[in-house]
Amino acid sequence: MSPNETFLVQVNGRPAEARRGETLLDVCRHAGVDVPTLCHMPGLAPSGACRICVVDVRGRGLVPSCSCPVEPGMSVETNSQSATRARKTIVELLLANHPDDCLYCVRHGECELQDLAQRYGVRERRYVTAKNDDHVDVSSPSLVRDPAKCILCGKCVRVCEEVMGVAAIDFIRRGSHTLVAPAFNRGLNVSTCINCGQCVMVCPTGALREKSHLKEVQSALDDPAITVVVQHAPAVSVSLAEEFGLEPGADVEALMVTALRRLGFARVFDTSFAADLTIMEEASELVSRLKGGGRLPMFTSCSPGWVKFVEQSYPDLMPNLSTCKSPQQMMGAVVKRVWAAREGLDPRQVFSVAIMPCTAKKFEARRPEMGDAHDVPDVDAVLTTRELARLIRLHGLDLARMTPGAPDQPFGERSTAGKMFGGTGGVMEAALRTAHWLVTGREMYHLTIGAVRGLDGIKEARIKLDDVELGVAVVSGLGRARRLLEEIRAGRDDLHFIEVMTCPGGCVGGGGQPLRAEAGAVRGRLESLYRIDRSEPVRLSHRNRQVQELYDEVLGEPLGARSHELLHTGYHGRDGAA
Amino acid sequence: MSPLVVDILERFPGARRDSLIPILQAVQEQEGFLSQESVLAIGRHLDLPASKVYGVATFYNQFRFTPIGRFHVQVCRGTACHVKGSANVLDAVERDLGVKAGGTTRDGLFSLEVVACIGACGLAPVIAVGGDFHAGVAPRDVPGIFASYRERAKEGGSDAA
């Protein structure tokens, strides 16, 4: 039999096409038959841990469809009485030690366990056991871990190890005492957790969630003595729509700007402006390293999970990280230390909020390097895309019915290059456009660099800047980054510039994005960024007039003294992180 | 890091993850427990995250994460002892010492371990303290037994066994 041979099997009494190597779950789903899953992760090997996907195979009885290979002649019932009864019992057993505090849970209405309890008609507590009393871990600046709500599906453990290559958490102890926790059952803050939040994205319940800054933001908004300034990251405007039932990838920037004003933010700035600023610095740094014999390959530094990953696991490669702050922190520094003075405001009276697709940005904003000499942080609070949606709903605003608004100046103008920071390859494309201009004095003929686009986890290209040929690589998902770093440690030397985004797909796939997004949503968001790049006139960071004005009036020149003070940072090893 | 642990790791050159349990056993045998430092060192040696090493180690009852006390207490929970009421004896021991199985008292005097069978079923329920066997233990005997060891420690008596 050839490996690609197809054959017919029976699913619920109807013929369904199957391919050798597929699982029963694949076959059912291709046939349009929904089988529920909890522990299943598309693209990873099945673990078969939760058993909720059991189906009735004639002659064999109940089998977990996620891990059972399809065979010719099979006849499958997905909703036989024994299958549905088994699923209901599984849900009831999962609920036996669950806290039952759905009304107060952040995932109320967005919880896979709750949905299954509804779907299988669980109406009473049939199994009574002691509730989990493991304490809530609030030690992390980005994430909250609540073992009492954990159903031990293991998806967080797997995404952390198999996709992100971090393995900060694992199952500890056994039997009814099993728990998902960092090494030594200590807090996430002293673990190797990089705060990316991909565990939150796969968690079916409220056991993992972001550390919310909504209260701090609301208090600041309510305080008349405080000026609250907000910036929104490139990926947010192409993702927020999904929280309000609109199509994935719809760009709601203009509506969101109005909503932010209605929420009471005094100024609405665009992080993409700071991304253009980042490109001015980063492209100049790249050119300077190329010409001056600096450490190569240079790594991008805008993804804070990646930065912590290098600090703790590859400290020998820290000099390869660009010293540029991330756009969030550049914007923060410019708002607190340039804009506030211009407006005659004390930086302490300015509250700077960032809307990010990311949980690690909460960690980044708290880094001690990210403030002025008087410990005034450049960014005071970070809201994820999800938290912004909550805030909008809290205020009863209907996003779709907002009158389109324009961002505030001077930090509202952006090029499409800055906007593309929101997806994997975007920083690379933006930086190469500007580096080409810096090196040759001319614009690139083809601004679109197809080789660095798309959702592949690693993309490589050779790019010519006149007589210099650059080797570039674009990586998203730290598991792949780890493999590339190992190659570099082993002596690979044909690369000059590497963009790394912590999350698969880049910020559009970030850990602060809408939960339970439909398949293809990340692609939709990325396509939206490309659409913006196609349809707007200013596609080069160095053509952003407001950025040029900032250099003329305040910063001087890229990599200059004032730039270094405001826009660059340093790194430190984190030996002993477990 | 303890030179003893370094020695142990050197006995496993180029080891991979399948050597994890033998290494954990060797370290515990040498040090009496698995310190955080040892877990980290083992992880580095095998190129395994500390969370994995700790996850595997906590799966098995044989590994402990606190140092052995001056008197190591083993409470037998084998079949014969169970029938003769060792669950209540364990309760009484945990109450008297103020630690759970696997723990060590803060004064470092006693460490507590539950064992499956000591092999002295005729003496059930049996506990061993610092190598001394105590036969036919009832919960009400427990405070007296430990008092005598505290007394011995005060007098500067030598460790048993």
Side-chain angles (χ1 to χ4, degrees), chain A residues 215-232:
Chain A
K215 235 186 234 169
E216 291 87 333
V217 171
Q218 193 62 57
S219 310
L221 286 169
D222 289 345
D223 187 339
I226 290 180
T227 305
V228 190
V229 174
V230 69
Q231 57 169 309
H232 58 87

Side-chain angles (χ1 to χ4, degrees), chain A residues 12-13 16 71 75 118 181 220 233 245 281 313 326-327 354 379 441 444 482-483:
Chain A
N12 295 344
E71 288 163 26
S75 173
Q118 280 296 321
E281 295 292 327
S313 298
S326 72
V379 173
M444 277 183 146
R482 187 185 273 283
R483 291 201 282 271

Side-chain angles (χ1 to χ4, degrees), chain A residues 422-461:
Chain A
T424 169
V427 178
M428 178 60 70
E429 204 166 331
L432 289 176
R433 290 176 187 179
T434 291
H436 188 278
W437 173 73
L438 287 172
V439 169
T440 67
R442 290 175 282 111
E443 307 301 4
M444 277 183 146
Y445 186 68
H446 289 295
L447 289 184
T448 300
I449 307 171
V452 301
R453 290 194 171 193
L455 281 174
D456 289 344
I458 180 151
K459 296 163 278 186
E460 294 192 20

Side-chain angles (χ1 to χ4, degrees), chain B residues 135-152:
Chain B
V137 178
R140 66 172 178 280
D141 304 334
V142 165
I145 293 173
F146 291 122
S148 70
Y149 286 92
R150 290 192 184 98
E151 209 50 46
R152 244 163 86 179

